[in-house]
Amino acid sequence: MIPYSLLDLSPIAEGSNAAQAMHNTLDLARHAERLGFRRFWLAEHHNMPGIASAATAVLIGYVAQGTSTIRVGSGGIMLPNHSPLVVAEQFGTLASLYPDRIDLGLGRAPGSDQATARALRRHLDHDTADSFPQDVEELQAYFEDVRPGQRVRAVPGAGLKVPLWLLGSSLFSAQLSAAMGLPFAFASHFAPGFMRQAVDLYRRTFRPSEQLDRPHVMLGLNVFAADTDDEACRLFSSLQQQFLSLVRGTPGQLKPPVDDISRLWDASEADHIRRSLACSVVGDPAAVRDGLQRFVDDLRPDELMLTGQIYDHHARLHSFKIAAEAMQAVQRTAVI
């Protein structure tokens, strides 16, 4: 059985606003819970006009309060932006309110440009990313039982053992996850370049820990599903436009789909975006089922994290319904 989870960036569609985006996020989480998704994760991004999940822990609480069984977490919290103690207190609070339902995925990148990073953490220096392993260890320690003589503790947080994940798109994160015995989520949905090398390195060098006795790999995958291939390709064009805006340095709200994306980019932009979004399954129910099966057969992930930046909320709900049904078919095929 291959668990399937959902990553939502709480997209702000062009002409809409952050409040509506967050209401849509909760509606999607409830939909995912009914469809059998294991986790619903939200990502930390700052100074991005098209993403409403900047206050990630706050939004996780909103989603957890509005659902009942699905695990809710971060995919991820960008640890260089925060002190480990503050993250421990935030997620200790969440884990106290919603026991056994909170995941803490951690990223090493700031999730923003340098000016925004400095605004987030005013004393940011060039060595902050290099301190990531130490910050992870410090954060992990705050979730352990309090030690005699411990002067600083997370309240709430101490003793809760909130499960940590490391996220990444490089060999560094794979190696660190393996060394610490943590589950590893690779950002193949937008940066697949080192995916195979990272997964192999993680699995080969994994050392069991108190949290995890064997390697656990989650791979990100864009899924755009509709009743027809043409409509699915049209929906996909919103994400392609979003990446095009990033390439051009003009990030904005999520744009409505277009019939012919080729009219909007030049050849070099198209090549770059196709490489970035190579891990995408786009099509009707049969095509999505086949695409998911090929991806699973090829890479043997322990879990899939599906995502899809779709302009129309109802089309997004329908896309994830098709994806969930396809994943259930993939699981049955895998068992046979």
Side-chain angles (χ1 to χ4, degrees), residues 12-18 20-21 49 252-256 311:
I12 304 174
E14 193 169 81
S16 187
N17 55 53
Q20 186 60 55
Q253 295 180 331
L254 187 65
K255 294 182 179 297
Y311 177 81

Side-chain angles (χ1 to χ4, degrees), residues 18-292:
Q20 186 60 55
M22 290 184 277
H23 291 317
N24 288 345
T25 283
L26 178 56
D27 189 47
L28 178 61
R30 289 169 170 163
H31 185 63
E33 187 171 69
R34 292 190 293 268
L35 292 171
F37 284 82
R38 174 174 285 190
R39 311 174 201 277
F40 188 92
W41 281 7
L42 293 148
E44 177 186 351
H45 292 82
H46 299 279
N47 198 26
M48 299 289 285
I51 297 175
S53 53
T56 316
V58 177
L59 195 53
I60 288 171
Y62 173 64
V63 170
Q65 177 64 30
T67 54
S68 57
T69 58
I70 195 168
R71 296 191 66 89
V72 188
S74 59
I77 292 294
M78 300 297 109
L79 195 50
N81 296 338
H82 313 279
S83 76
L85 177 60
V86 169
V87 175
E89 290 169 340
Q90 290 175 345
F91 279 78
T93 299
L94 290 167
S96 297
L97 290 170
Y98 312 104
D100 299 319
R101 291 186 57 208
I102 301 299
D103 297 324
L104 175 50
L106 300 168
R108 178 169 165 253
S112 56
D113 56 49
Q114 284 300 308
T116 306
R118 283 192 293 272
L120 286 164
R121 196 171 181 182
R122 293 180 182 276
H123 301 293
L124 183 71
D125 59 42
H126 295 298
D127 296 326
T128 303
D130 294 335
S131 70
F132 181 72
Q134 292 75 32
D135 285 348
V136 174
E137 289 180 349
E138 181 183 344
L139 175 56
Q140 195 172 40
Y142 286 130
F143 290 129
E144 300 298 328
D145 295 328
V146 175
R147 301 179 302 278
Q150 182 176 338
R151 297 184 61 188
V152 179
R153 62 185 68 180
V155 183
L160 294 182
K161 295 180 170 58
V162 175
L164 302 187
W165 291 69
L166 293 192
L167 319 180
S169 57
S170 70
L171 302 184
F172 179 94
S173 300
Q175 189 170 23
L176 183 60
S177 299
M180 298 188 71
L182 296 175
F184 176 51
F186 191 84
S188 36
H189 59 294
F190 70 85
F194 289 101
M195 174 178 60
R196 293 179 187 277
Q197 295 163 272
V199 170
D200 177 67
L201 176 64
Y202 170 73
R203 285 175 169 157
R204 281 192 294 104
T205 61
F206 179 85
R207 293 188 294 191
S209 68
E210 183 180 340
Q211 179 176 332
L212 194 64
D213 63 355
R214 62 174 64 184
H216 188 95
V217 174
M218 176 192 286
L219 296 180
L221 185 66
N222 298 297
V223 177
F224 288 78
D227 294 332
T228 67
D229 287 340
D230 287 345
E231 179 58 18
C233 289
R234 186 171 176 275
L235 296 177
F236 186 41
S237 70
S238 291
L239 180 62
Q240 292 170 314
Q241 290 179 81
Q242 190 175 52
F243 269 68
L244 181 60
S245 295
L246 291 174
V247 167
R248 293 176 175 175
T250 57
Q253 295 180 331
L254 187 65
K255 294 182 179 297
V258 295
D259 293 325
D260 185 4
I261 188 69
S262 67
R263 295 185 177 184
L264 301 182
W265 56 26
D266 62 32
S268 63
E269 291 170 333
D271 287 344
H272 175 78
I273 294 168
R274 288 188 185 112
R275 286 194 301 270
S276 298
L277 301 179
C279 289
S280 300
V281 174
V282 182
D284 68 9
V288 167
R289 183 181 63 247
D290 292 345
L292 289 169

